Amino acid sequence: MVLSLTPGIAIVFLVILVALVLFATEPVPIDITAIGIMVALMVLEPWTRVSPTEGVSGFASSATITVLAMFILSYGVQRTGVVQILGRKIAAFTKDDETRQLGATIGVVGSISGFINNTAAVAILMPMVTDLAHEGNTSPSKLLLPLSYASMFGGTLTLIGTSTNILASDLAARLGEQNPAAFGDLHAFSMFEFTSLGILVSIVGTAYLMTLGRWLTPARIPPEDDLTEEFELEEYLTEVVVRGDSPLVGRTVKDALADTDFDVDLVQLIRGGKSFAEPLGPKEIQADDIFAVRTDRDTLLDLIDAEGLALVPNVDVTEEELESTNEERNLVEVVVAPRSSLIGKTLATANFRERYDATVLALRRGPEFIRKRMDHADLQVGDTLLVYATPDSISRLNVNRDFIVAQEVERPDYRESKIPLAVGIVAAVVAVAALDVLPIMVSALAGALVMVVTGVLEPPEVYDAVEWEVIFLLAGVIPLGIAMEETGAADLIANLLVLSADFFPPIAVLGLFYVVTAVLTNIVSNNASVVLMIPVAAEAAAQLDANAFAFVLAVTFAASTAFMTPVGYQTNLFVYGPGGYKFTDYVRVGAPLQILFAITTTLGIAAIWGVTP
């Protein structure tokens, strides 16, 4: 079938092009881009053929509702603290053996990611893995990238492992219902329908990460015991004493900081043998006060001259000294989470110091450190902040969805008594869906409801559990797939890809779809990739008289495993700052794994389901 480039197809391609650019560059959050796509398709209905009803159909999609329910189920398990308990047992087992640490990290996150949202699994396990590395004298960089990668291939074990799987299942079912003659073998995925393939790629992925991948993964962050050394703050932290003739005497710390043009933070006050930390703002400065300050050497010299200070000789402030205040204080790493409300803001505009009674001493962005004018640096996803704060402030940061605290924090509000109940509810949801007693959407919603009724979650926590950005992203991109089908855009792309069948066998064309989807996913959202590529894969299979399910499955697995860039998958961004990685690290470690997965997935699909009927 030969299709011409109609005005409708051209407009849909234009919308796709704009969407891909916006997804890749993120001038606005991706969920806002998705809503923009939805609105554009409805406004351009005469050409896109997407009616208002179809335009908002993503909000009523079973995929969207299922993902929403899975967020609630995952959060219910998280609130019991069962994963943290598991982490402590793992730490006792692995000790300082890097091989054991790596194997345990991959094994635990891979298994968990098959049954709870893999993004949540990484967020929960990252503090455990970071502590595991520090306690075992291992670079966190050697464990955090494998943590991200293992969560991805662990998500391929079941239907509920990733939102991508759930969305692909919904798209496949809709295509099969709309055109049974062409896509008669397409259907909604069952719970364990592709588990055999997921196990295969998980074995291959684990073997790679334990051998070649382990050698390729760099140790960007040294296994330092002292975080001030890890963040290379030795030259930026020192102590100064206030002279009797200083113009600062009699002023409050808050006023003194507000009026100064110097890039300086007052971290700690020592007065009369007692130490004080935030909130320092209301304290009135007195002669002979000693301040621990964060600034660079050149600024320090200017500050001493201008403000009547004197340098306390031979002082390098260490983590131990900072934590030895009269009030209990700790240094912790805090990661700016994906979809954080602080992205694009600065520490100053977010009032970080005042809101959390905490001081940021340094900021790490991948392998680079920012120590000057930090308060005015726009925050990005994956930025790691070295924060000096009380346990109470750290606890507030820990429960805030804007941050991930990269060390284990004791939470007395874990509902450990609910562990059997929470795990049982998730197991029941999986069993009911697997036995086809109820559709996964219904069983997941029922499980979420039971979580609340039985007290595993409080009613307000249900709304906090849902990552609403993902829900709006799904709802916004689903109509794009409809537009591609209705206008013939999917057919046209399929025609171009099918041309390769003149030179290659069907199994090679299947592999080509994996590669194209994987490349696309490493640049834009995984959910957007699956919406764009599944209609094309189904059309191509129909034209080749091949197994449409096999082609859809190749696209699904490729969209669920994006290893080559930090932006390819949300979990890669989680570990970017804490691991101190460079962009090239993802390419070096992820590209061989991506190629290995392309071969394994293609051959696995061919062996289990066949490429042609």
Side-chain angles (χ1 to χ4, degrees), residues 340-498:
S340 168
S341 63
L342 272 71
I343 295 171
K345 296 181 179 179
T346 67
L347 293 171
T349 58
N351 293 319
F352 186 92
R353 180 192 292 265
E354 292 78 11
R355 184 181 299 179
Y356 297 105
D357 286 339
T359 302
V360 177
L361 300 181
L363 186 157
R364 183 169 59 216
R365 182 167 293 161
E368 300 177 357
F369 292 101
I370 300 174
R371 306 182 192 86
K372 296 183 179 181
R373 301 291 177 188
M374 286 181 303
D375 285 352
H376 304 290
D378 289 341
L379 295 174
Q380 300 178 10
V381 176
D383 281 352
T384 303
L385 311 175
L386 180 61
V387 173
Y388 179 54
T390 64
D392 180 62
S393 293
I394 293 169
S395 294
R396 285 191 287 132
L397 290 168
N398 190 48
V399 298
N400 191 314
R401 298 288 287 271
D402 288 334
F403 308 105
I404 303 168
V405 176
Q407 281 93 34
E408 284 284 359
V409 177
E410 289 294 329
R411 286 188 60 175
D413 58 342
Y414 280 134
R415 299 169 186 139
E416 295 185 9
S417 64
K418 301 290 186 180
I419 289 175
L421 197 53
V423 174
I425 290 169
V426 173
V429 167
V430 172
V432 168
L435 295 172
D436 208 21
V437 176
L438 292 172
I440 180 61
M441 179 187 72
V442 179
S443 65
L445 279 174
L449 180 62
V450 174
M451 285 273 189
V452 178
V453 171
T454 57
V456 175
L457 288 175
E458 298 293 335
E461 292 176 332
V462 171
Y463 299 95
D464 294 334
V466 178
E467 293 186 24
W468 294 103
E469 299 86 350
V470 176
I471 301 303
F472 279 91
L473 171 63
L474 291 175
V477 298
I478 285 173
L480 191 55
I482 296 173
M484 291 180 66
E485 298 161 36
E486 295 292 335
T487 61
D491 288 345
L492 185 58
I493 300 173
N495 282 342
L496 296 174
L497 290 172
V498 165

Side-chain angles (χ1 to χ4, degrees), residues 7-50:
I9 292 176
I11 287 175
V12 169
F13 280 162
L14 180 61
V15 172
I16 291 173
L17 178 62
V18 172
L20 291 179
V21 171
L22 293 176
F23 279 136
T25 59
E26 287 198 48
V28 294
I30 58 175
D31 52 309
I32 301 301
T33 295
I35 297 301
I37 292 169
M38 180 181 71
V39 172
L41 293 173
M42 291 188 289
V43 170
L44 299 171
E45 180 187 357
W47 297 277
T48 63
R49 301 181 187 177
V50 174

Side-chain angles (χ1 to χ4, degrees), residues 315-362:
V315 170
D316 284 319
V317 182
T318 65
E319 178 178 354
E320 182 179 354
E321 289 171 319
L322 283 175
E323 293 182 353
S324 64
T325 60
N326 296 87
E327 308 169 85
E328 187 180 355
R329 292 269 159 175
N330 299 104
L331 279 175
V332 293
E333 294 174 280
V334 176
V335 184
V336 178
R339 304 189 181 95
S340 168
S341 63
L342 272 71
I343 295 171
K345 296 181 179 179
T346 67
L347 293 171
T349 58
N351 293 319
F352 186 92
R353 180 192 292 265
E354 292 78 11
R355 184 181 299 179
Y356 297 105
D357 286 339
T359 302
V360 177
L361 300 181

Side-chain angles (χ1 to χ4, degrees), residues 87-103:
R88 288 194 290 269
K89 294 185 181 298
I90 291 171
F93 166 74
T94 60
K95 296 184 170 55
D96 60 353
D97 188 316
E98 185 180 320
T99 301
R100 286 186 179 185
Q101 292 170 356
L102 184 59

